[in-house]
Amino acid sequence: MDVEVALHVNGTPQRLTVDTRTSLLDLLRERLGITGPKKGCDHGQCGACTVLLDGRRVNACLALAVAHDGGNVITIEGLAENGDLHPLQNAFVEADALQCGYCTPGQICSAVAVLDEAAAGVPSYVTPPGASTVSLSDEEIRERLSGNLCRCGAYVNIVRAVRSVAP
Amino acid sequence: MNPFRYERARDAAEASVLLGKTPAAMLLGGGTNLVDLMRLRVAKPEALIDVSRATSDRVELLPGGGLRLGAGMRNTDAAADKTLRARYPVLSQALLSGASGQIRNLATVAGNLLQRTRCVYFQDVSKPCNKREPASGCPAREGYHRNLSILGASDACIATHPSDMAVALMALDARVRIIGAGGERLVPLAELYRLPGDEPQRDTTLQHGDVITHVEIPPLEFAKRSRYRKVRDRASFAFALVSVAGALDIRDGMVRDVRLALGGVAHMPWRARIAEEALRGRPAREDTFREAAAAELRAAQPLRDNAFKVPLAQRSIVRTLLELSAEP
């Protein structure tokens, strides 16, 4: 069943007619040609499809496009500003935080949100109870990025990259 | 995925009416479980009624000191709420132990309560499953069951409830506020959930047309000393093999009051009332904790590959109580 959906994607307004079954991930990849978000598992288990939806990281594979009508989506393609890579993109290059690169767009989008969440004092499972501020230790980074799998096992350098950008 | 009609409800009452009009309609919250089940063809709704913006997304103070969470509140926001963290740390920890940051950003409070079991046979339409297709059989009993029930199971079903949040809420005597065909009502979590019996297709006692609007948590002064302990196969982003939600009130070295609930052991969050009874009025010491934990697990009926959960649950209870009793 077709519905009309309006979204802002990487700053550009988009209006599309989609089947109600269309995930945000399929809309981005198949309809808009934005292939940075990857379809790793399509079950919310790998995080390769992570995008920022209204400023928050989500699994685009689990989000029905129709349910997020009016939403503002940022993908890995939308992180650079005026041709300059986002500090986390540079950090991933500097720290050699990848091997095959398939999970990288999701890792970086997720990490961008982790910086915001930590700055806002949002706790994680390893944050000491009662702590009102969050400092991004290696333990915090690992816990907060546990929804992004890297089958090459580049975790050590992913943590290093995120830590290098964390305040 | 089967085709479906999509409707957005303005409020819970409208959602209830829309549900009533279509027997095969389902409610959509964050979709983190339902969309996956639809993709797996485990769920085949004719229509989705989106309630993600139809109910409150805030924490409110209740007269008398309790809290209530809007059904549409995202798990991340509930876990980060300052009042909730201060009064019920066990609930914030349970929420944060579940899923991943991405999933918690989508998942709603009511959706968390109503997520389905992750038993592999339930999620695989090529296999029999009494919960998915009544009277088709249960391969889990002889097959893969190391993550499944040790308490309260039936011949028909040994599924476990996957929610962490619900375990903490069970320990806190939470109730859900529901709008349904007969009006509004409050249902204790212990009566919302059910054991499988010979109707494992029913996870809850909800009727078609019921819409959860809030979760209400009564005041519990000593819950400021509470915590959630989760044991799983990997350090993060995995379902519980066993989990414990506990709150402890100690005066002069004696257990004045206690709340305990277990996750990963049954078809519903398991309130450990036997252990609680065995603890009240007794010395807050490891030997008492051990006796209470053993008493709770006495009724366990483990299977070939999940017998490890019995000592694991006991030790997790003891460890949780020891840590709580060491808190300042």
Side-chain angles (χ1 to χ4, degrees), chain A residues 21-72:
Chain A
R21 292 170 288 184
T22 310
S23 67
L24 178 58
L25 178 62
D26 283 343
L27 181 148
L28 292 170
R29 291 181 56 87
E30 308 297 333
R31 297 295 300 278
L32 298 180
I34 296 173
T35 54
K38 297 290 184 273
K39 188 182 278 194
C41 70
D42 217 21
H43 293 289
Q45 295 173 1
C46 77
C49 65
T50 303
V51 300
L52 303 172
L53 173 61
D54 299 325
R56 296 169 153 221
R57 54 180 171 149
V58 301
N59 303 99
C61 74
L62 293 178
L64 291 173
V66 60
H68 298 282
D69 184 31
N72 186 7

Side-chain angles (χ1 to χ4, degrees), chain B residues 24-53:
Chain B
M26 293 180 77
L27 297 176
L28 175 71
T32 55
N33 185 212
L34 180 55
V35 170
D36 191 31
L37 291 175
M38 288 165 65
R39 200 166 276 148
L40 295 167
R41 297 191 187 242
V42 172
K44 290 173 279 191
E46 190 180 306
L48 284 187
I49 316 295
D50 188 345
V51 285
S52 61
R53 303 180 207 184

Side-chain angles (χ1 to χ4, degrees), chain B residues 211-258:
Chain B
V211 180
I212 295 175
T213 62
H214 298 89
V215 173
E216 303 195 358
I217 312 168
L220 188 69
E221 172 64 20
F222 70 88
K224 60 180 189 265
R225 191 199 287 225
S226 66
R227 60 174 63 201
Y228 190 70
R229 177 174 198 87
K230 181 171 179 178
V231 186
R232 43 189 158 173
D233 280 331
R234 54 186 189 195
S236 182
F237 197 19
F239 290 96
L241 291 167
V242 164
S243 66
V244 180
L248 189 58
D249 185 13
I250 300 177
R251 297 287 161 88
D252 304 322
M254 305 294 273
V255 176
R256 230 173 82 141
D257 205 354
V258 60

